[in-house]
């Protein structure tokens, strides 16, 4: 009996930081990604076959929704600084469900655009709110918690995508409606589970409580006046291009510039998800402190350089070379994605002052939201420019990594940040 106990290792509750609430929020996130994988995979086809929109109309609807969603991240962060985080999170989940179900009520194009834009706001806000919750509930183990969170997210996305593929194979209007309703129901389940989570402790006020005079009324820090943090956020937006490279550039590049088979594109996506599931948690051990996270910018620059050079090499001719170069690029890009996620997560939390943590993380959320709007356009232009554009992109990414490293080093030296100081929960 004792031998079996030693062999099985620590229990799940000991391996996942954050206690019961942390584990429950991981389940909430898993359900979120399953539902989103169901709907996002079929969204464009839903608007095409069910509501009868043309290609240009679908493109405009998606673009307007993405633009509206940019405001969701800072708005969610501001609300989290003013109201209980759990309540704000539940509200966003209910709003996302409402917006999805509202799509079933109309085929009118202006209304569809308005509803989609309205749903994008709480959708983007949720990303910031879950990140803030994780930072508070996991405390000094937030890096490991986020790594586990990304792993479960990728599994959820994969399962949702497989479910969507099955429904799309049927191809009926009812099947599309069931996908949409399934995603909406997932938000209701998430809201019920989130309601069972305790409110995590908010960051301690930086104002000394021992003052004998009246409580000071100093304004909280503003990320919009923090040039260093804004510069860090802008640099992070450049790094988030790994999403557009994988999802937009590589499939189009395979078709338009290489001799690789078209069927390679989905296989590269599968490889990306598999690598994240296998290595995201083990890699988190390399960023146990903010300074360690800053040092990841060097290998990150190397991986981006390998990625862009390999993609350029894939256009030199021949199927074997194209496949080998694209597989190399995907592996390097996936490890760059994982290292960037670790560094971005830890440093953005560390640079956020306690009195405005939500607002700062909300502004940082603009990095990913902006990339989602600008990235696809940049990738299509890069593909049109030809193979030499890839080394130019690689040079820009390497330069950004060097600039981010210097910026963060100055901030750490100037403010003496450390993990204990920015930890917001001792769970």
């Amino acid at each position: 009996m004792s031998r079996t106990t030693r062999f099985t290792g620590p229990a799940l509750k000991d391996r996942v930081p954050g206690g019961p609430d942390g584990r429950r929020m991981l389940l909430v996130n898993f359900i979120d990604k399953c539902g989103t994988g169901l709907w996002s995979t079929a969204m464009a086809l839903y608007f095409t076959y069910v509501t009868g929109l043309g290609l240009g109309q679908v493109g405009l609807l998606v673009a307007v929704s993405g633009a509206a969603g940019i405001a969701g991240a800072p708005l969610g962060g501001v609300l989290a600084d003013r109201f209980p985080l759990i309540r704000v999170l539940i509200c966003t989940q209910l709003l996302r469900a409402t917006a999805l179900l509202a799509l079933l009520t109309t085929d009118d194009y202006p209304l569809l655009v308005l509803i989609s834009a309205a749903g994008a706001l709480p959708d983007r806000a949720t990303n910031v709110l879950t990140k803030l919750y994780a930072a508070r509930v996991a405390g000094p183990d937030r890096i490991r918690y986020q790594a586990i969170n990304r792993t479960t997210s990728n599994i959820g996305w994969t399962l949702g995508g497989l479910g969507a593929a099955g429904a799309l194979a049927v191809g009926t209007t009812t099947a599309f409606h069931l996908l949409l309703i399934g995603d909406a129901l997932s938000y209701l389940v998430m809201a019920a589970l989130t309601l069972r989570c305790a409110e995590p402790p908010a960051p301690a006020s930086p104002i000394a409580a021992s003052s004998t005079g009246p409580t000071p009324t100093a304004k909280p820090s503003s990320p919009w006046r923090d040039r260093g943090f804004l510069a860090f956020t802008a640099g992070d937006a450049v790094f988030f291009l790994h999403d557009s490279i994988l999802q937009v550039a590589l499939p189009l590049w395979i078709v338009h510039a290489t001799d690789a088979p078209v069927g390679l594109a989905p296989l590269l996506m599968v490889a990306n998800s598999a690598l994240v599931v296998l290595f995201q948690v083990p890699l988190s051990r390399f960023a146990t402190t903010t300074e360690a996270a800053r040092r990841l910018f060097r290998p990150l620059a190397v991986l981006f350089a390998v990625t862009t050079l390999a993609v350029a090499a894939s256009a030199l001719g021949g199927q074997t070379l194209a496949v080998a170069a694209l597989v190399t690029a995907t592996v390097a890009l996936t490890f760059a994605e994982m290292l960037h996620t670790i560094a971005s997560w830890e440093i953005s939390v560390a640079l956020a002052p306690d009195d405005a943590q939500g607002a700062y993380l909300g502004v940082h959320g603009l990095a990913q939201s902006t990339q989602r709007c600008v990235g696809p356009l940049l990738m299509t232009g890069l593909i049109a420019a030809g193979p030499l554009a890839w080394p130019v992109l690689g040079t820009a990414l390497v330069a950004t990594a060097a600039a981010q490293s210097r910026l963060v080093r100055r901030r750490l030296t100037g403010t003496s940040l450390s993990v204990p100081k920015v930890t917001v929960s001792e769970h």
Side-chain angles (χ1 to χ4, degrees), residues 138 182 226 244 267 354:
D226 190 334
S244 291
L267 296 179
D354 290 341

Side-chain angles (χ1 to χ4, degrees), residues 297-341:
F297 285 125
R298 180 173 295 179
L300 181 62
V302 173
L303 289 168
F304 274 131
V306 171
T307 298
T308 52
L309 290 175
V311 175
S314 69
L316 294 178
Q319 187 177 92
T320 302
L321 174 61
V323 171
L326 289 168
V327 170
T328 300
T330 300
V331 172
L333 182 65
T334 302
F335 276 91
E337 173 192 340
M338 290 187 284
L339 292 185
H340 167 241
T341 299

